[in-house]
Amino acid sequence: MSPRTWVMLGDKRGDNGQVETIVEALGWPVERKFLQPLPQWIYGKPRFEPTLSHLDPARSDALGAPWPDLIITCGRRPSMAALWVRRQSGGRTRVVLVGKPSGYLRDFDLIVASRENQLPPFANVVTTVLPFMQVDVAAVQAATRDWAARLSGLPRPLVAILVGGETNPFVMDAGVAHRLVAEAQRVIADGGTPWITTSRRTTADVVDVLKRDLPAQARLYTFSAEALPEDNPYLALLGTADAFAVTADSISMQVEVMRLGKPLAILPLPAGRFGAPDLWRRRLATWLNNPDGAGVFHRFRRAAARGLYRVDVFGVVSVTRDFEAFHRELIERGLAVWAGEPSAKGGLGIPDDLGEVVRRIRALFAPGSGSAGP
């Protein structure tokens, strides 16, 4: 008999999709609990603690006994509710978190984090090459049909240039915008059509330069919260474009392109004012948290990473993201190239990490198992 399992889902579609991917592979019956934050916490970050005080009770599913044996969730706000449930169960409920934890690693029985998240090598951490976010293929196909007339007559190759925004340690300024313009000019010189789309996080100075300097042959969509969803070409481009160039900050857009098996180029971004020290901090975290051998030196690195986590209350190197390491692995696997380089051919491809994650979740309920926390 499978354990009583709750799936706690929040208001972020990408997070929910990762959880659903694991649930489908796990094959256990589940109860879904949909949780909605209060308005001030949709974008704001509540203090991380086991609580329901950040949720909107009128728009969230009720949480009550009988308490589950297992919760699978993703994201800061749902995971706070998951830990509250475990407290009500007297500590009996196991909690599996997908993604980088906002609280302590020891709060969770299992953490499933993709490779860009540099977590210490504790027994309750399992890493995957890519996050488990999936593309809504039906939505892509529908958008492709809706946009077919507008895209069919454009000179090929059609290259989608997907622009994210500022994310530490990167900045997005006018200099980046000029590089985007240069990338569009390169596509046009090859006889193709560049279609640039911005996002919610794209800075205004970048948008201004794109509007002013893009060649007439280029197409530009600037994100607006007031725009109708059907006016956004993003999904149609996922289904139609021949190749993609994505700014280095947006792992989610890079993953969507790779999941569809489309050619991906990564557009590098400059580091900010404190970028050089920050990049070295992230590199140190990657080196510490990924001991790749069994010798004495690698055991020392593993112990150092675990020990540093226990005293590094500000997360200086113990819990961070290393975009460089992530991009390097994509390129080594033949999943991506740097912008301007020939498209990747062959390579190692996307590994099947899902089976290992399912095995680790099932192991939580094996005879004699206990919490695998730090």
Side-chain angles (χ1 to χ4, degrees), residues 157-221:
L158 173 60
V159 179
I161 301 176
L162 311 179
V163 185
E166 290 198 343
T167 299
N168 285 333
F170 302 122
V171 296
M172 185 165 285
D173 54 18
V176 171
H178 291 305
R179 275 185 265 175
L180 293 169
V181 170
E183 181 66 16
Q185 291 170 333
R186 186 184 66 79
V187 173
I188 293 169
D190 290 338
T193 302
W195 195 307
I196 300 91
T197 70
T198 66
S199 66
R200 186 189 304 274
R201 295 183 294 110
T202 308
T203 53
D205 52 350
V206 169
V207 173
D208 291 342
V209 171
L210 293 175
K211 288 181 176 179
R212 185 188 69 222
D213 294 347
L214 278 173
Q217 302 96 316
R219 302 292 189 271
L220 173 65
Y221 173 81

